[in-house]
Amino acid sequence: MSVTIASASPRDAGPAAGDDLDAAWHATQRRLRLRRRIMPLAGGAGLLFIWWALIAVFHVRPFIAPSPEVVAVTVYQKFGILMANLLPTAIEAVCGFLLGNLTAIVIATAFVHRKTLEEAFFPIAVLINSIPVVAKAPILILLLGNGLAPKIAIAAIVCFFPTLVNMVRGLEAVSPQAMELMHVLSASKREIFVKLRLPTSVPYLFSALKIAASTSVVGAIVGEWIGSQEGIGALIIQATYNFDSALLYATVLCGSCFSVLFFLTIRLIERVAVSWQPDTGH
Amino acid sequence: MSETLAGAAIECRDVTVRFSSDRGSVTALENVSLTLMEGGFLTLLGPSGCGKSTLLRVIADIVQPVAGAVSVLGQPPAGARRDRQIGFVFQDAALLPWRNALDNVRLPLEVGGRRGLPAGSPGPEALLDLVGLSGWEKALPHELSGGMRQRVAIARALLGGPRILLMDEPFGALDEITRDRLNEELLRIWRDTGTTIVFVTHSIYEAAFLGQHVLMLAARPGRVRELVPVDLPEPRHLSVRETPRFVALAAHLRAVLETC
Ligand SMILES: Nc1ncnc2c1ncn2[C@@H]1O[C@H](COP(=O)(O)OP(=O)(O)O)[C@@H](O)[C@H]1O
Ligand SMILES: [Mg+2]
């Protein structure tokens, strides 16, 4: 017989002799946490310096690549233009994110309730999901044309597939014993969905939403590349045509910052929604 | 429950269960018959794969037999299930990880078109207390040890006062010290509540210590090997396992098990 002694909870753990050890352990943990914060900053500063040094040493001309301080100045001087162009991109990305994910959740629910639907369409969804965003976007632009709505649609479709795939997997990741428990309790299909499947799927949903937060921005930007007058994507094309490398870099920086903020917002919501999960250590 | 003490809680007649898959069909149980009186404690013992879990699942209406008749409290298993006369405890506790201990125990009140508790039946808090977990109501499953999780699962199975408790190797994954303690507590709960219990185990000592009878199953196909009555002084304590009578019983079970 295999005997695994059930781990004693910290509450049960031992006498006062452990307190010093505990304090030392906590201090180490604090130092490690601080290091984890500081090291990326140091790394970033190092890379910025290398960037600056390369431009200076090799006399790279401004229309090929700008030096970091020029980009910083551009961000400051053209802040109004950048924000004016970020707004439509942000609206497209967020609306597309909501629309695409909501549709995915609804269709995943339908799949789980009607197995035939899932059998017919889920493999195709998995296939489409494996096509990269940059390959899908031009096809969609041809299909949908210009204006704000098509960009929302592109961002939505780009979010849709990963969420659909993950949501279906999450709704079906229910343990067989939990299903048997629900059967013994004579739970209805609806109760099983609400009390068991939906909560089980939440962590799966959020790992898809975190991906979708970035890809929806990519979708909106790629959508703006063709025949758009405003937006981060349009500004990128304009700056490239004008050999205005400083504006190009500033625009990309601006789009990335929004993307990161969007991602962090979703992660914050995730922390609250799945607070019941044990810490996975990162 | 004393007025029905004379009645049979569970009756199986020539129950046969087959599972068919792509690789052919497996006969999990063949012509299994058993009768368990209300208030009894039966342990099922046998090698792995002999159909112990399947037999429990038949009684709980999770698996349908291809032949034979099953009666639970005088009605088909589905009826007993719908009347909430059956509590089931799984090997891995099957707690919902997003619910704290108390909300896990409360789950049976929220599903299956269930209204409140039957009058006089202990509530979730009282049951957590019964299994020795008062003070842990708000703890999430991952904050509990394996033994504590099983205690929560037992409390959940007891909610609503089912007359039958089915337990599928509930302590199989626990360390021996925890398992011994839970064995003794289970006997106390059984005496206090008068619930009929069927308990699956592959431990000879657990089977002999808990059961009033040990039903031994043989594998391939799963069938009844022997029904061994357990004649030990009541109430039982762990020390009974050192008595000559217990040692002889365990030796007998081991000898039979070798032929299963
Ligand atoms: N759902 C199932 N589908 C197919 N075969 C199964 C299923 N459940 C059990 N079996 C088979 O039935 C036999 C008995 O299984 P089980 O009742 O789980 O045995 P035990 O609990 O005694 O280990 C095994 O051979 C097992 O492979
Ligand atoms: Mg089993």
Side-chain angles (χ1 to χ4, degrees), chain A residues 1 3-7 9 11 177-178 180-187 191 195-196 199-200 275-278, chain B residues 57 61-62 81-82 84 86 90 92 94 96-99 107-108 110-113 140 142 145 156 173 175-176:
Chain A
M1 190 182 71
V3 177
T4 44
I5 301 295
S7 63
S9 72
R11 267 160 271 224
Q177 296 210 331
E180 290 186 356
L181 171 72
M182 286 298 186
H183 178 78
V184 171
L185 294 174
S186 308
E191 285 166 342
K195 302 272 175 188
L196 186 59
T200 305
S275 57
W276 47 267
Q277 267 199 330
Chain B
R57 279 163 171 68
D61 187 44
I62 298 169
R81 167 175 65 76
R82 274 193 295 271
R84 284 290 171 83
I86 299 172
F90 298 90
D92 79 348
L96 305 184
W98 51 87
R99 287 176 167 244
L107 177 73
E110 298 173 17
V111 299
L140 289 167
H142 79 262
S145 69
R156 178 180 62 192
D175 64 85
E176 221 167 309

Side-chain angles (χ1 to χ4, degrees), chain B residues 179-198:
Chain B
R179 172 192 279 223
D180 282 351
R181 192 178 307 148
L182 283 172
N183 277 341
E184 249 187 349
E185 286 185 30
L186 182 61
L187 284 183
R188 173 179 59 79
I189 290 169
W190 171 63
R191 282 192 304 271
D192 289 355
T193 60
T195 312
T196 309
I197 298 182
V198 184

Side-chain angles (χ1 to χ4, degrees), chain A residues 123-132 136 157 161:
Chain A
I124 298 172
V126 174
L127 197 75
I128 296 178
N129 185 34
S130 64
I131 305 173
K136 265 185 286 200
I157 291 173
F161 288 100

Side-chain angles (χ1 to χ4, degrees), chain A residues 201-211 266 269-270 273-274:
Chain A
S201 73
V202 170
Y204 291 78
L205 175 63
F206 271 98
S207 47
L209 292 185
K210 283 187 290 185
I211 299 170
I266 302 300
I269 300 173
E270 179 189 29
V274 291

Side-chain angles (χ1 to χ4, degrees), chain A residues 97-98 100-106 108-109 159-160 162-171 173 197-213 266 269-270 273-274 276-277:
Chain A
F97 178 88
L98 293 176
N101 288 311
L102 224 61
T103 317
I105 292 169
V106 169
T109 306
C159 296
F160 172 78
T163 303
L164 176 68
V165 171
N166 259 36
M167 191 69 190
V168 168
R169 293 206 174 121
L171 288 173
R197 288 193 190 277
L198 220 45
T200 305
S201 73
V202 170
Y204 291 78
L205 175 63
F206 271 98
S207 47
L209 292 185
K210 283 187 290 185
I211 299 170
I266 302 300
I269 300 173
E270 179 189 29
V274 291
W276 47 267
Q277 267 199 330

Side-chain angles (χ1 to χ4, degrees), chain B residues 198-221:
Chain B
V198 184
F199 187 105
V200 168
T201 178
H202 54 233
S203 155
I204 290 172
Y205 302 102
E206 204 171 49
F209 177 68
L210 290 174
Q212 295 185 310
H213 288 87
V214 180
L215 185 71
M216 306 196 65
L217 299 179
R220 270 166 289 275

